[in-house]
Amino acid sequence: MHAPVRPSPFAPGERPKIQLMATCLCDAFYDDVARATVEVLEHLGVEVEFPEGQTCCGQPAFNGGDWPASRKVVRHTLRTFAGTAPVLLPSGSCAAMLRHGALLEFEKESDLPEVKALAARTWEFADFVVNALGVKTWPGRYDATIAFHRNCHNRGTGSEAASLALLNSIAGAKVVPFGEQEQCCGFGGTFSVAFPHVSSSMGTLKLDHIRAAQPDVLVSGDMSCLMHMGGLAQKAGQPIKTQHIAQVMRDALRNGGLLR
């Protein structure tokens, strides 16, 4: 079954402009992912606006069952990302919160129409590059064997196919299959806190399958999954290199002399 692909929000010839929601993980741990996202988008001619008042997408409280608290965070996001420009996130998980989770928790709220409007203009990074901008291949060079992790929140969206199309098009890059690719890494945000032993066992099993493919780098569209698996690998004394797809695309441009 093919995932539904949304039409581009831009008219032909229109200079694309987006609002970037960098996510909590980029703010706290992975600032280079946010930097790479901006560099890639600007290379494509996209005008990037970064609303300074941004905080969280509301997912931690949503997953924890505290929907009133989560709605407060989403309402702050509504005010912070006002307007009609697409909201782009380098995270399938946070994008799914605004596109799906928020709709559930606002089902009986009077401002549901505003939440629906925000959901309609929310995009995950790779989905935006391929399906909103129409960029199907990526220039530059990236000499590495890549294991691509399909994060759960991107299921049913255009993100996975978009990510694989971009990675497979880069000169020198080789995306290798591994066992049980569709399985969850076990992170799940607060799931890893509530059920740490189950979470770590799932992540360890996932890493076993990935290591068997002998990749140079583990790539995903979600730093949360990479943080979980990278942490488990580090703790086991078998560290594995991880990168967000935006970092791979940025590095390919640099390697090809297309970006300084």
Side-chain angles (χ1 to χ4, degrees):
M1 183 176 72
H2 296 287
V5 175
R6 293 186 291 169
S8 173
F10 306 113
E14 177 185 1
R15 184 189 179 190
K17 176 182 178 180
I18 62 99
Q19 294 179 307
L20 175 63
M21 186 171 189
T23 80
C24 303
L25 283 179
C26 283
D27 181 40
F29 302 111
Y30 298 107
D31 57 317
D32 188 61
V33 174
R35 185 179 300 112
T37 298
V38 173
E39 289 180 296
V40 167
L41 292 173
E42 289 185 342
H43 174 78
L44 292 170
V46 178
E47 181 180 349
V48 179
E49 178 189 353
F50 184 82
E52 294 288 344
Q54 62 183 276
T55 55
C56 173
C57 66
Q59 186 174 179
F62 176 82
N63 289 350
D66 190 351
W67 286 16
S70 179
R71 282 195 289 268
K72 290 182 181 178
V73 178
V74 172
R75 285 187 173 112
H76 174 77
T77 297
L78 276 173
R79 294 190 295 271
T80 305
F81 289 85
T84 58
V87 177
L88 185 144
L89 301 93
S91 164
S93 177
C94 300
M97 174 61 201
L98 296 181
R99 291 179 60 181
H100 180 66
L103 300 184
L104 296 177
E105 65 183 1
F106 277 79
E107 191 174 27
K108 298 180 180 179
E109 301 295 316
S110 61
D111 46 357
L112 175 62
E114 289 90 338
V115 175
K116 283 185 175 179
L118 176 63
R121 59 188 177 94
T122 295
W123 291 78
E124 181 273 335
F125 170 77
D127 187 16
F128 179 84
V129 170
V130 172
N131 296 313
L133 299 181
V135 176
K136 309 295 185 185
T137 59
W138 196 247
R141 187 165 193 90
Y142 188 87
D143 290 304
T145 301
I146 295 171
F148 178 73
H149 169 62
R150 298 156 167 78
N151 54 71
C152 297
H153 278 108
N154 278 343
R155 297 175 194 272
T157 74
S159 295
E160 178 182 327
S163 297
L164 289 172
L166 291 168
L167 291 173
N168 279 310
S169 72
I170 300 174
K174 180 182 179 183
V175 181
V176 293
F178 56 87
E180 300 190 26
Q181 284 187 258
E182 298 300 325
Q183 290 297 321
C184 174
C185 70
F187 180 58
T190 51
F191 176 81
S192 64
V193 178
F195 304 98
H197 300 297
V198 178
S199 173
S200 60
S201 294
M202 292 172 69
T204 299
L205 178 61
K206 185 90 182 185
L207 281 169
D208 289 343
H209 284 294
I210 291 170
R211 287 196 185 96
Q214 299 183 313
D216 297 312
V217 57
L218 172 61
V219 175
S220 180
D222 253 299
M223 295 313 299
S224 54
C225 304
L226 295 178
M227 180 177 69
H228 179 60
M229 290 186 283
L232 287 171
Q234 183 75 29
K235 188 175 181 180
Q238 297 177 289
I240 186 170
K241 180 181 179 181
T242 62
Q243 279 195 305
H244 188 276
I245 185 173
Q247 292 174 300
V248 173
M249 293 167 67
R250 184 269 316 274
D251 291 352
L253 292 177
R254 287 178 175 173
N255 295 337
L258 301 171
L259 185 71
R260 297 182 65 183

